[in-house]
Amino acid sequence: MSKKHAFQFVELPREMPRKLAIELRTGGDWNELYGRFERDNAAQQAGRCLDCGNPYCEAKCPVHNYIPNWLRLVEEGRLVEAAELCHETNPLPEMCGRVCPQDRLCEGACTLEDGFGAVTIGAVEKFIVDSAFAQGWRPDLSKVVATGKRVAVVGAGPAGLACADRLARAGIQATVFDRYEQIGGLLQFGIPSFKLDKSVVGTRRAVLEGMGVQFRLGVEIGVDLSLEALLREFDAVFLGLGAYRYTDGGLPGQDLRAVLPALPFLVNNGRLISTHADAEASAGGLAPQGRPIAGWEDHVDIPDLRGKRVVVLGGGDTGMDCVRSAIRLGAANVTCAYRRDEANMPGSAREVANAREEGVSFLFNRQPLAIESDAEGNVTGVRVVETTLGAPDARGRRNAVAVPGSESTIAADVVIIAFGFSPELPAWLAEAGVEALPNGRIRVGIDAGEGVLPYQTSQPKLFAGGDVVRGADLVVTAVQEGRDAAASIARMLRAPGRSALAEEPR
C-alpha cells in the first residue's frame, strides 16, 4: 500500500456527489437529489477506505457486501470486476446505493466516521452499477445450466426481484407476477423520484429479462389467477407481498377528507409523476408501459397542496418522503411532528437534514391527540401534547410520556399520517393453510415447523420473504430475504422431499 493511499482519508475529505440546487428542489423538481460521481471522483473517494482487517461496514450491511474489495477495484479502475463483485451479494445494488440509509448502516459503521468522515460507500456503489450498465455490462449467465424447474414469484418489489435474480443464476426459470402495471412495487410507486429515478427500475427490468426472468404484470393473485393454478404450473412459489396494512393511530378526526395515510399518498403521487413521464416518453415516440390497475390506493385522492399548511405525523423514512414530496407539490409550509426527540427518530439522519434544507420544520416530543376541523369538515389543525422520554419499551426504545397541561394545536390544512404499515395475510393464503403470526407476518422457517427450510412456509411449495415476513423494513433487508429465500428454493428443488432442517442460506 502506497503512502498516498494510506493517508488519503486525511489528505482528501469525504465528498458526496453534487446536490440538485435548492431552488429547483423547492420549485417542484423531482429529479434525483444527488448527481453521480465522475470516474476520478469515485476513485478518489474509494481510495479513502482503510481496508480494515475486520470491516465493520460489511458486518453492518444486511447483505454483507464486499465493500472494501469493490472500493479497491474502483480505485484501480477495474469497473467490470467491481460490478460483478457488487452483484455477488446484492441483486439490486443500484437501488440500495440510492435508497439505503447508509448513515445508519455501512457508512455509520465506517472506521472513519468518527473524526474524518465515512467513505461515501453508497455513492460509489451507485457509480459502479450505473457506469457498468451504461458501458453495456450485463450479468454473465453463460455457464448456468438450466434445471428445467419453474418458480412463480408473487410480487415485483425488492424481495421478489432479488429472488428472481438468484433463481435465474441457479438455472431456475422465474416468472414474476404483480398486480401493478410496472415492476418495482414501492421502488416504482412509493419511493419518490428525487431518491430513485424510475429509469433505474426500468433498466433493472431489462437486465432481469436479459437473464431470462419473465414478468406477468397487471395480474393479481387471488383475483385474476388462483394460487391453485400457480401450484399446478410451477414447482414452487415465492411470496414477496410487502406490508400494506395501514397503522391506525385511532385519532379523532382521522377520517376527514384532507387526512391522508402516507403510503397511498406516496403511491398515488408516484403514479402521477410516472404518468407524466410516460406521456413525455410517448410524445418522444416511446409508448407507455402497461395499464393502470385499480386497487386500494386509487381510492385516496391527493388534494392540491399548493399554498397549504401540511403536517406530517411520524418520524421514519416514509415520513421524510412525505414531507419532502409535499415541498415539491407546492405546500406553503410543511411540519413534521414526532413524539420522541430527534436522537430517537427511526428515519435516516441524512434524510432529516435534506428535509430541513428544503424548508421542513420539525416539532419533536409532540404526541398527536386529535385532528381538528371547522363546521364544514375542513381540517384546521392537529392537537398535540408535549412529551418526555420515559422507561424503555419491549424493543428497548424509551416511551413517550405525555406532559400534563402542555396541549397545543399545530395549524394545518392537510395532515399526512406516517405511523407505518404492517403485513396482512391474504384470504387466499389463509385458505391454503399458510399460517401467520398475530401481527400478520407469515410464519417461515423454524417458526413454521420442524424440518422447514429457511423462508419456507408450513406449505412445502410456498416460500416467503421481505416485509410480509419481517414487517415493514428497509429495501436492503427485503433484498437480503428474497436472495436467501431463492437459495432455499433451489435447495428444495435439488432435493425434493428433504426433511432435515437446512442451514441458513448465504
Side-chain angles (χ1 to χ4, degrees):
M1 183 182 297
S2 68
K3 182 178 179 182
K4 180 178 183 297
H5 181 275
F7 293 99
Q8 193 153 324
F9 68 92
V10 175
E11 299 166 358
L12 189 71
R14 169 185 165 88
E15 180 182 288
M16 287 287 289
R18 187 170 58 183
K19 282 185 179 182
L20 197 67
I22 189 67
E23 58 268 21
L24 295 176
R25 291 145 62 186
T26 56
D29 193 310
W30 291 83
N31 285 312
E32 282 191 4
L33 172 61
Y34 293 100
R36 298 177 182 174
F37 276 140
E38 298 296 331
R39 182 182 60 183
D40 290 346
N41 299 116
Q44 289 170 354
Q45 289 298 310
R48 296 183 69 247
C49 176
L50 296 176
D51 195 13
C52 303
N54 183 20
Y56 301 113
C57 56
E58 278 189 23
K60 192 70 171 179
C61 173
V63 293
H64 303 305
N65 281 327
Y66 303 129
I67 295 168
N69 303 71
W70 45 251
L71 288 173
R72 188 184 313 114
L73 291 171
V74 170
E75 185 186 15
E76 296 171 356
R78 297 156 64 185
L79 180 65
V80 168
E81 293 171 77
E84 290 171 347
L85 192 59
C86 279
H87 282 81
E88 278 193 26
T89 52
N90 189 348
L92 305 177
E94 76 284 13
M95 312 285 188
C96 294
R98 286 170 163 84
V99 305
C100 270
Q102 287 97 6
D103 56 310
R104 285 198 277 134
L105 298 174
C106 55
E107 294 181 15
C110 177
T111 303
L112 294 177
E113 171 65 5
D114 186 12
F116 294 97
V119 177
T120 47
I121 296 168
V124 173
E125 184 177 32
K126 171 181 166 180
F127 161 80
I128 291 170
V129 185
D130 287 356
S131 300
F133 282 163
Q135 294 178 20
W137 176 85
R138 294 295 184 269
D140 181 8
L141 272 62
S142 61
K143 297 181 181 179
V144 172
V145 178
T147 63
K149 302 294 185 179
R150 304 177 67 234
V151 171
V153 175
V154 181
L161 297 181
C163 183
D165 172 279
R166 284 314 192 250
L167 291 172
R169 291 171 185 269
I172 298 168
Q173 173 64 57
T175 301
V176 183
F177 295 82
D178 200 280
R179 65 178 179 145
Y180 288 124
E181 68 274 17
Q182 296 182 32
I183 76 161
L186 296 183
L187 292 170
Q188 175 70 38
F189 298 110
I191 295 177
S193 297
F194 54 76
K195 288 173 63 177
L196 174 64
D197 188 276
K198 303 316 166 187
S199 65
V200 177
V201 182
T203 297
R204 179 52 66 176
R205 175 178 178 176
V207 169
L208 287 167
E209 288 176 331
M211 296 169 65
V213 175
Q214 298 175 359
F215 291 97
R216 292 181 60 182
L217 304 178
V219 178
E220 185 170 358
I221 306 304
V223 176
D224 303 309
L225 186 65
S226 70
L227 177 61
E228 291 76 13
L230 284 184
L231 292 172
R232 285 194 301 269
E233 184 179 353
F234 295 92
D235 298 294
V237 176
F238 173 76
L239 306 166
L241 305 178
Y244 293 93
R245 182 173 61 184
Y246 167 55
T247 299
D248 188 344
L251 296 176
Q254 67 181 20
D255 295 328
L256 293 166
R257 58 179 173 268
V259 179
L260 313 175
L263 197 50
F265 165 73
L266 292 171
V267 169
N268 267 6
N269 188 55
R271 295 184 110 169
L272 183 64
I273 300 294
S274 180
T275 299
H276 288 328
D278 277 346
E280 292 174 2
S282 182
L286 298 173
Q289 299 180 19
R291 61 181 175 86
I293 306 302
W296 58 268
E297 67 276 18
D298 293 306
H299 301 294
V300 176
D301 295 325
I302 300 178
D304 186 351
L305 299 189
R306 288 175 294 181
K308 300 292 179 62
R309 301 165 298 179
V310 177
V311 173
V312 176
L313 304 177
D317 287 335
T318 298
M320 295 308 99
D321 290 346
C322 290
V323 295
R324 298 181 65 204
S325 293
I327 288 288
R328 286 160 175 78
L329 290 169
N333 60 72
V334 180
T335 301
C336 174
Y338 179 59
R339 59 180 176 163
R340 294 184 175 93
D341 61 11
E342 184 168 3
N344 283 280
M345 283 186 76
S348 163
R350 186 181 302 166
E351 288 301 298
V352 173
N354 287 330
R356 273 203 177 97
E357 196 174 72
E358 292 166 8
V360 175
S361 299
F362 287 85
L363 283 176
F364 296 106
N365 296 108
R366 299 295 196 281
Q367 174 78 45
L369 299 175
I371 298 165
E372 299 178 341
S373 62
D374 60 20
E376 286 74 41
N378 300 307
V379 169
T380 59
V382 180
R383 184 156 44 89
V384 298
V385 63
E386 293 185 24
T387 66
T388 185
L389 295 182
D393 60 17
R395 295 180 297 173
R397 300 180 67 202
R398 295 176 65 188
N399 285 302
V401 179
V403 177
S406 63
E407 293 186 14
S408 62
T409 298
I410 308 170
D413 303 302
V414 176
V415 177
I416 302 173
I417 299 178
F419 292 155
F421 289 79
S422 58
E424 186 171 28
L425 188 71
W428 52 270
L429 275 180
E431 292 166 2
V434 173
E435 300 174 354
L437 297 165
N439 56 17
R441 300 176 188 177
I442 293 179
R443 291 181 184 271
V444 296
I446 193 66
D447 287 338
E450 187 176 351
V452 177
L453 289 160
Y455 301 100
Q456 190 175 32
T457 72
S458 53
Q459 301 303 307
K461 290 182 67 174
L462 298 179
F463 292 73
D467 288 359
V468 74
V469 167
R470 178 185 290 268
D473 206 336
L474 303 174
V475 167
V476 68
T477 54
V479 168
Q480 172 256 311
E481 295 206 342
R483 178 198 69 181
D484 292 351
S488 280
I489 294 171
R491 192 168 192 171
M492 182 196 75
L493 295 181
R494 286 196 301 268
R498 177 184 175 88
S499 60
L501 183 64
E503 297 175 359
E504 285 289 337
R506 299 181 65 181

